Amino acid sequence: MLSAKSLFQEILDNDESFRLFCSIAASGESQGGWENGRIAALVPESQRALAPKIARHGADEDKHGRIFNALLKKRGLDACPVPYETDYTLILERHGIGLAHDKLRADQPLTERDIITYLAHSRVTEQRAADQMVMLRKFFADHPEVGKAVRMISNDEDNHLAYTHEELLRFAAAGHGRAIQATLRECALAEIRIYRDVSLAVMARMGRILGWSRAKSALLTAGIHAMYAYERLGGWRRMVSLRMPERRNALGGPATSAPEFA
């Protein structure tokens, strides 16, 4: 029976597919760490209180990248180059979602509108990350090889999602509600399309590595397109709603370490 659990187990059991999976994940997390670090350094004076939280967000992303690289190392594998069409984080940036890297490489302070754009982008992408980790935690929280990593990263993603809700609601209360909703909608509609395209590219490469039959590949492709259709028809709205989270001030302290993955 084809299921999310059996699919990931198949990827996990094969060194080459596991190598590709971890390499893609490590690359995306490392890029997210760099982006958050630069944003924290360029926060405008009016929002300096946010800088430690943004830096914490970046430190978490860097930690996740190290965790995925450590999982590779434990299996005696090196990271592989990430094909462009599978690089979700880079493609989002290339399509103008979030803050452009040219702006982050400059030494000019960001504006409050830039910070709202960053938070809205994070709200959307952290929803995707949190949803994926909930699925992995459901099936692999006790797995001897990846269980610790899954639990730790899942908890961090829940913190990141809570943080974006809380901070966006703070900006909305300050009169930015219309801009926030417009930016969230734009980000969400672009993200679901890019996520579909990246998912198709990743599955195609996994299929070649694992020798999937034409029928199995077609079924997975149809499933990805069906998910996109659902999200395009209205499922994207879960990515733009805002509510005060149960986890308040989720990024208010120092980043947690992961010594077991060092």
Side-chain angles (χ1 to χ4, degrees), residues 51-221:
K53 297 180 181 181
I54 299 172
R56 159 75 185 276
H57 190 179
D60 283 346
E61 302 287 4
D62 280 336
K63 178 183 69 180
H64 299 167
R66 293 194 303 273
I67 288 172
F68 283 112
N69 281 317
L71 289 172
L72 286 171
K73 185 178 179 181
K74 284 183 178 180
R75 200 181 276 200
L77 302 171
D78 293 323
C80 63
V82 175
Y84 172 76
E85 67 273 14
T86 68
D87 197 328
Y88 167 81
T89 310
L90 182 60
I91 294 173
L92 284 172
E93 191 268 336
R94 293 276 174 87
H95 282 75
I97 304 304
L99 298 179
H101 284 186
D102 287 347
K103 178 174 286 192
L104 297 183
R105 291 189 183 98
D107 289 324
Q108 297 298 317
L110 299 173
T111 65
E112 284 197 356
R113 183 58 188 265
D114 288 333
I115 298 302
I116 290 171
T117 297
Y118 149 71
L119 286 168
H121 168 244
S122 296
R123 160 71 184 94
V124 170
T125 55
E126 293 297 342
Q127 182 71 60
R128 180 72 71 188
D131 289 349
Q132 290 177 328
M133 293 312 301
V134 165
M135 183 270 292
L136 290 177
R137 190 173 62 207
K138 177 180 178 182
F139 298 127
F140 296 98
D142 296 322
H143 190 278
E145 184 176 11
V146 301
K148 283 184 180 179
V150 165
R151 294 193 303 272
M152 181 175 291
I153 295 173
S154 182
N155 182 67
D156 287 345
E157 301 297 5
D158 288 345
N159 282 338
H160 300 166
L161 187 57
Y163 148 76
T164 62
H165 276 269
E166 187 171 7
E167 297 302 333
L168 283 169
L169 285 170
R170 180 175 64 82
F171 273 104
H176 298 282
R178 185 167 295 181
I180 289 169
Q181 284 302 317
T183 307
L184 282 170
R185 186 179 190 277
E186 179 186 7
C187 285
L189 291 176
E191 191 279 343
I192 63 172
R193 185 183 68 253
I194 290 168
Y195 182 74
R196 174 202 61 192
D197 294 344
V198 169
S199 296
L200 290 170
V202 171
M203 286 300 103
R205 287 186 174 267
M206 292 297 182
R208 288 195 290 272
I209 291 170
L210 296 169
W212 289 342
S213 67
R214 229 178 245 186
K216 183 173 183 176
S217 294
L219 184 59
L220 288 169
T221 296

